Amino acid sequence: MKRFPDRLYLTPERKDLYQVLRHCYFYLSTYPICGGLMFQYAARAERIPLTLRNGNITDDFLLEQDSLGIGFDDVDSVKSEIDHIMHDEEYVHEKGSRLKDVVISEEQFGSEIARLLNQEGGSFEAGFGPIDTTEFRKVYWDNLTEEKINEILARKDDAALCKYIPLRYGLGG
């Protein structure tokens, strides 16, 4: 917020998130990890959730997610989809209406949990396999700089470590 004072605004948590989403054309997820719950909120609101894939970390937040055309492998593809969404209301409506049934209901979720706890098995196939986090970790590693470490460790509002790492306080505070 200090770095971009006219471009970033902190807003308190909203109780009407669903209604806010209903007034959007689409939801663009965070990167490198897309917010699964926000993906589900957007789908429930019949708003297109879009994500830039980072390995398979962004898969399986929605039922039949692979068939929805919401995950993209490169920035240009995401931009192209956003452009399509912004210029074709019929496309937005058609794609959005397909989303209302891709999140299980609260009742179905409760029923599935009960079945699992009673060792009856669930209706959904659980797929377990390796998740390649190489690219995901690379994003964070590339952003980990001395300056960032100083900012994290040497905060003016928390001077408890100052006597142990005074140089970092001088550089990062």
Side-chain angles (χ1 to χ4, degrees), residues 29-96:
S29 73
T30 55
Y31 181 86
I33 295 182
C34 109
L37 184 57
M38 286 299 297
F39 240 51
Q40 292 175 340
Y41 271 123
R44 277 287 176 176
E46 297 181 38
R47 294 305 178 251
I48 304 166
L50 301 174
T51 191
L52 180 60
R53 283 193 195 100
N54 185 10
N56 56 357
I57 291 174
T58 58
D59 295 346
D60 300 325
F61 291 126
L62 305 173
L63 302 174
E64 302 175 27
Q65 185 169 321
D66 290 343
S67 68
L68 298 173
I70 57 175
F72 301 89
D73 295 317
D74 59 84
V75 173
D76 288 336
S77 297
V78 176
K79 287 179 179 179
S80 177
E81 180 69 3
I82 290 171
D83 190 54
H84 192 180
I85 289 168
M86 298 304 292
H87 293 95
D88 189 342
E89 275 192 55
E90 189 175 316
Y91 175 74
V92 172
H93 179 72
E94 182 272 323
K95 196 162 186 171

Side-chain angles (χ1 to χ4, degrees), residues 10-38:
L10 179 63
T11 58
E13 186 175 327
R14 296 186 65 130
K15 303 277 188 230
D16 62 342
L17 178 61
Y18 178 82
Q19 292 305 322
V20 170
L21 285 169
R22 291 287 300 157
H23 287 85
C24 298
Y25 278 89
F26 62 92
Y27 166 74
L28 181 61
S29 73
T30 55
Y31 181 86
I33 295 182
C34 109
L37 184 57
M38 286 299 297

